[in-house]
Amino acid sequence: MTQQNRVWFITGASRGFGRVWTEAALERGDKVVATARKLESISVLNEKYGDNVLTLELDVTNPNQVKEVVKKAHQHFGKLDIVLNNAGYSLVGTIEEANPEEIRALYETNILGPVSVVQAALPILREQGYGHILGTSSNLGHVTLPVIGYYSSSKWAFEAIYESLALEVKQFGIKVTIIEPGAYATEFGSQESLKFSEGMDVYNDFKAEFFQGLQKLERGNPEATPQALFKMVDSENPPLRFNLGSNNLEWTKSVYAERIALWEEWDEVSKSAQGESK
């Protein structure tokens, strides 16, 4: 298998990183199974790339449909080399504002949806004896922000699931990588990517200040990401975690330094809770 002879399975291919990476993979000569909730949103790919692309409608929150689509993708191209979970959205609202139905819906798409894709693809990858499972997480899988705390929590869960997965499937020759973008100028802020909880007046000023701060963020160019992504997937030993952008690492290091300092400050008290070993 050459580096430019791969078959990708990509969810959320209609916008953001999914759109950019789908087209970049096709441009370099790979084949792509591009999926989206609305088939018409990716139909242009058929006209542009012909037989190198298979476009399929997929709602990742429907496990039965996930199984059918993954099976159809494999039958069409005869193999699946890279399975990329990219579907997801953000719930905007404080911890108090969001209601249980909104939180469940977020987790259905951001956590259970990717799990359904992984579970459907694994029997195929195991039989092949190879494959690379990718997932678009976020730098917010390590740190968090107010107002989008539930989105952050979904990425923390995503990270834990993928890390466990990597340990479990290494024995089958399957690789796993968590992609962790920072702030990028994608369609992630569109109405399809954001859902808003009903606001409470008591948080109006706080949220206004938060959104003002977001406007000042330095945002990367998503069109600059494909070559970095390809360098990673073409590597013999791709990393479990892969930052995208120049600001992630310093922020994450500073947050972890604060956590370690706090744990150390309370270490004696923590140790006292051990009691006598049994």
Side-chain angles (χ1 to χ4, degrees), residues 17-268:
F17 291 116
R19 176 188 59 77
V20 172
W21 296 338
T22 294
E23 294 215 35
L26 288 163
E27 289 288 345
R28 81 167 188 159
D30 289 351
K31 293 178 171 59
V32 177
V33 181
T35 73
R37 288 181 66 249
K38 297 179 181 178
L39 195 57
E40 61 269 22
S41 67
I42 52 175
S43 60
V44 66
L45 295 173
N46 296 307
E47 304 167 12
K48 191 172 181 181
Y49 298 103
D51 293 340
N52 284 338
V53 65
L54 173 66
T55 57
L56 297 171
E57 186 173 295
L58 177 60
D59 180 349
V60 296
T61 66
N62 183 336
N64 290 330
Q65 187 185 34
V66 169
K67 292 177 183 177
E68 293 173 5
V69 168
V70 170
K71 181 180 178 180
K72 187 179 294 185
H74 180 244
Q75 290 174 337
H76 185 83
F77 284 121
K79 64 174 183 173
L80 294 177
D81 298 304
I82 300 170
V83 177
L84 170 54
N85 270 312
N86 184 67
Y89 69 91
S90 182
L91 176 62
V92 179
T94 66
I95 300 304
E96 184 177 7
E97 289 172 331
N99 65 54
E101 289 74 22
E102 293 169 331
I103 301 166
R104 289 192 189 98
L106 177 76
Y107 288 0
E108 286 281 349
T109 297
N110 289 12
I111 303 171
L112 297 181
V115 167
S116 292
V117 173
V118 168
Q119 290 179 340
L122 273 176
I124 295 170
L125 304 185
R126 277 203 312 272
E127 186 174 353
Q128 292 177 168
Y130 66 86
H132 196 170
I133 300 173
L134 310 179
T136 306
S137 179
S138 167
N139 194 40
L140 294 178
H142 297 288
V143 299
T144 191
L145 290 172
V147 184
I148 52 174
Y150 287 112
Y151 171 75
S152 298
S153 75
S154 74
K155 293 306 181 183
W156 283 47
F158 187 97
E159 298 258 344
I161 290 167
Y162 261 59
E163 184 167 341
S164 294
L165 174 68
L167 297 172
E168 295 163 355
V169 301
K170 183 179 180 180
Q171 62 183 310
F172 306 122
I174 300 169
K175 302 170 182 177
V176 176
T177 297
I178 308 164
I179 304 169
E180 301 168 329
Y184 273 85
T186 69
E187 300 96 325
F188 192 72
S190 69
Q191 290 303 309
E192 288 190 354
S193 298
L194 295 178
K195 294 189 179 180
F196 293 82
S197 298
E198 183 175 352
M200 298 171 60
D201 290 345
V202 68
Y203 291 109
N204 285 349
D205 291 343
F206 181 84
K207 289 195 292 186
E209 184 176 349
F210 170 74
F211 289 125
Q212 287 175 4
L214 287 186
Q215 298 302 315
K216 299 175 183 177
L217 283 178
E218 179 183 336
R219 298 180 186 275
N221 178 5
E223 303 293 337
T225 62
Q227 293 311 310
L229 180 72
F230 295 150
K231 186 173 183 179
M232 183 273 292
V233 298
D234 293 342
S235 169
E236 286 295 323
N237 296 295
L240 171 62
R241 287 185 166 84
F242 180 59
N243 271 328
L244 282 183
S246 57
N247 299 319
N248 290 13
L249 185 56
E250 289 306 313
W251 186 18
T252 304
K253 286 169 65 177
S254 68
V255 168
Y256 271 89
E258 291 175 4
R259 289 175 186 166
I260 290 170
L262 186 60
W263 285 323
E264 289 178 339
E265 179 183 347
W266 284 87
D267 189 48
E268 288 303 317

